[in-house]
Amino acid sequence: MHADQVRAIVDRFEADVRNRTRFQLYRIDGRPATLDDAYAIQSEILARALRSGSDSVAGYKVGLTTGKMQQFCGVAEPIGGRILKSNVRASGATIRKSQFHRLGIESELALRVGKEVPALRSDTNVQDLIGCVDAIAAAFEVIDDRDADYAHLEASSIAAENSWNQGIVLGEAASPSDLGDLRGLPGRLLVNGEQSATGSSDDVMNGPLWVLAWVARFAKEAGTPLQPGQWIMTGSIIPTRFAVAGDTYSFELGSLPPVTVTIG
């Protein structure tokens, strides 16, 4: 796509967000958008968000981390998006539902980058990547799918809109030193104190460290390699929960401090 075409698409996206227009699949000159198209659009959205100089990229999110969802959306790998520093919240935050078209929260494990993540080669032991992580936390990803029709989805269209990321809520950070390769951590979502759903950190790709390796490649190919201090959201352990005003959601993951968010 030409740069002026990308700018026109993002102009329309911004208008759609303002007008609460329902999410639509992206078409470029009458054809479905490719992932290359999507990431060009995403980069323009990000550039506009960072234009004032008052914000920065605090990390990355990963979507479509299960084979089932990848097959459903017609891709062979996950999709990525960026997390803005202004959208990072601490556990206990209140999020106003009215500020979103359709607000969803996803229960995840967040990893904080401590040092450069090496390229994953055939002889790389993925467990060694734990040495690149200096903190982990139970977390919620905040998404806005703009009332998308889940019977008709395309990975490229989701990726174009920053893979729907609207921020994160982080639980208290802990050291990963006693948790091995971060697999097998049981997760539990509670709504107003009552258990609602369960899952495991095994449910994302081949485990959280594989996600870290994928994000490192994604960020490098985008020309923005991972930096120490950035957070990586490793994918939803429990299916997306669309938020209800007045509810409080808590996510417990293994022995990590729980993360909580209230919907106002």
Side-chain angles (χ1 to χ4, degrees), residues 3 5 8-9 18 53 120 153 165 204:
Q5 192 174 17
I9 290 171
R18 288 193 302 271
L120 187 62
L153 285 182
N165 180 263
V204 294

Side-chain angles (χ1 to χ4, degrees), residues 42-186:
Q42 184 186 124
S43 293
E44 174 65 14
I45 292 172
L46 177 72
R48 295 187 187 193
L50 299 178
R51 190 167 290 162
S52 69
S54 61
D55 214 339
S56 61
V57 175
Y60 291 81
K61 64 83 47 101
V62 183
L64 308 184
T65 54
T66 66
K68 181 179 180 179
M69 283 304 298
Q70 289 170 21
Q71 183 178 20
F72 180 70
C73 290
V75 291
E77 64 176 356
I79 56 174
R82 280 85 157 194
I83 302 164
L84 293 177
K85 184 178 180 180
S86 59
N87 288 333
V88 177
R89 306 167 178 87
S91 181
T94 296
I95 297 178
R96 299 296 174 189
K97 183 180 178 183
S98 61
Q99 295 177 349
F100 302 84
H101 190 148
R102 183 163 67 174
L103 171 63
I105 58 171
E106 299 186 344
S107 307
E108 308 194 14
L109 171 65
L111 314 180
R112 191 173 70 191
V113 178
K115 65 178 184 180
E116 182 179 358
V117 181
L120 187 62
R121 304 185 306 271
S122 59
D123 61 345
T124 302
N125 184 346
V126 72
Q127 294 188 29
D128 293 340
L129 296 183
I130 194 65
C132 302
V133 177
D134 68 359
I136 60 176
F140 287 121
E141 181 183 3
V142 180
I143 69 163
D144 189 345
D145 70 359
R146 297 204 296 119
D147 196 26
D149 178 0
Y150 279 65
H152 301 92
L153 285 182
E154 293 171 352
S156 58
S157 294
I158 301 171
E161 297 192 3
N162 197 33
S163 297
W164 289 343
N165 180 263
Q166 291 294 322
I168 59 176
V169 182
L170 290 170
E172 181 182 344
S175 169
S177 59
D178 297 328
L179 295 175
D181 64 0
L182 307 180
R183 291 176 60 88
L185 302 180

Side-chain angles (χ1 to χ4, degrees), residues 24-39:
Q24 299 292 323
L25 300 179
Y26 280 70
R27 294 293 179 262
I28 312 298
D29 298 328
R31 61 169 174 80
T34 66
L35 277 178
D36 285 343
D37 294 330
Y39 289 129

